[in-house]
Amino acid sequence: MGRIVETEAYLDASDLASHTARLRRGRVLTMFGSTGIAYIHQSYGIHVMLNAVAHPDGGVGGILLRAAEPVEGLETMRQRRGGVSDLLLCSGPGRLCQAFGVGLDDHGTDLTVGQNIWIGSGFPPQSIRAGERIGISRSRELPLRFFEEYSPHVSRGDGVRGLRFQIHAAANANEA
DNA sequence: CACACGATTGTCT
DNA sequence: GACAATCGTGTGT
């Protein structure tokens, strides 16, 4: 279990970075359907990415889960991730899926039901910032990446993470 | 049927 | 910083 600390929104065809803008068949059709369902795809044929279908009534889109702060089951995560440092367990969309054991098989799962994989509201984020999305070339100007400020568990991104974490650490040192 | 292209990550220089 | 790994989908011939 973990706290979601970083997400990205992908919209309808007006958002050129969204799969809904260039794919018309296969798994992507899920993002045209009911909200709360898992849209899972592979990136570069290797890494698994988990999205929650989310959009206005009659709309299209989804939320990509990019990073989480591990809360429970760290031993299992460490095994699945091959013994990397704890800060790297879930700090990326592919890493998160590997740590939580999410596979393509989970595509179509109802994430609002507490079964194998689900999303609840028990661990709200502290301070949310918005910025440009990562790893895309089109529609980069849209501020659709949301992350918890100061969290050391967000993905690499633009390098802001390391900086903010250092500032945070320095602030703690001053208080101590 | 033959390409090109990613919502990434780990490794090597 | 550069680069390979790897596969479903779209486009072109």
Side-chain angles (χ1 to χ4, degrees):
Chain A
M1 180 163 40
R3 295 177 61 241
I4 298 172
V5 295
E6 180 182 354
T7 63
E8 280 179 0
Y10 287 90
L11 314 180
D12 57 21
S14 67
D15 173 10
L16 298 183
S18 174
H19 287 175
T20 60
R22 64 184 189 87
L23 302 178
R24 279 142 222 268
R25 301 201 301 223
R27 305 177 171 274
V28 77
L29 295 179
T30 301
M31 280 211 279
F32 293 75
S34 305
T35 57
I37 303 299
Y39 163 57
I40 301 180
H41 72 98
Q42 262 182 319
S43 186
Y44 295 88
I46 303 172
H47 304 289
V48 177
M49 317 255 141
L50 171 61
N51 301 253
V53 176
H55 53 66
D57 279 353
V60 174
I63 304 290
L64 169 69
L65 273 54
R66 284 194 58 90
E69 173 184 336
V71 171
E72 212 175 278
L74 270 72
E75 263 318 307
T76 304
M77 294 184 190
R78 291 188 189 105
Q79 288 175 15
R80 287 171 174 156
R81 293 278 298 122
V84 299
S85 79
D86 284 1
L87 278 182
L88 295 179
L89 282 181
C90 313
S91 56
R95 293 166 176 167
L96 185 154
C97 284
Q98 193 179 12
F100 281 79
V102 177
L104 291 175
D105 298 347
D106 298 305
H107 177 76
T109 300
D110 186 347
L111 296 172
T112 66
V113 179
Q115 299 273 342
N116 202 19
I117 300 169
W118 77 95
I119 300 176
S121 56
F123 302 90
Q126 298 286 328
S127 170
I128 304 176
R129 288 179 59 92
E132 294 184 349
R133 292 174 294 185
I134 295 172
I136 60 171
S137 54
R138 293 169 292 188
S139 295
R140 192 181 295 162
E141 69 283 0
L142 301 176
L144 295 178
R145 172 180 177 239
F146 304 93
F147 57 98
E148 183 176 74
E149 195 175 18
Y150 302 129
S151 173
H153 298 279
V154 302
S155 68
R156 62 157 178 88
D158 41 3
V160 170
R161 174 184 88 73
L163 177 61
R164 295 198 182 285
F165 183 55
Q166 285 173 25
I167 293 173
H168 186 49
N172 285 341
N174 288 338
E175 291 171 6

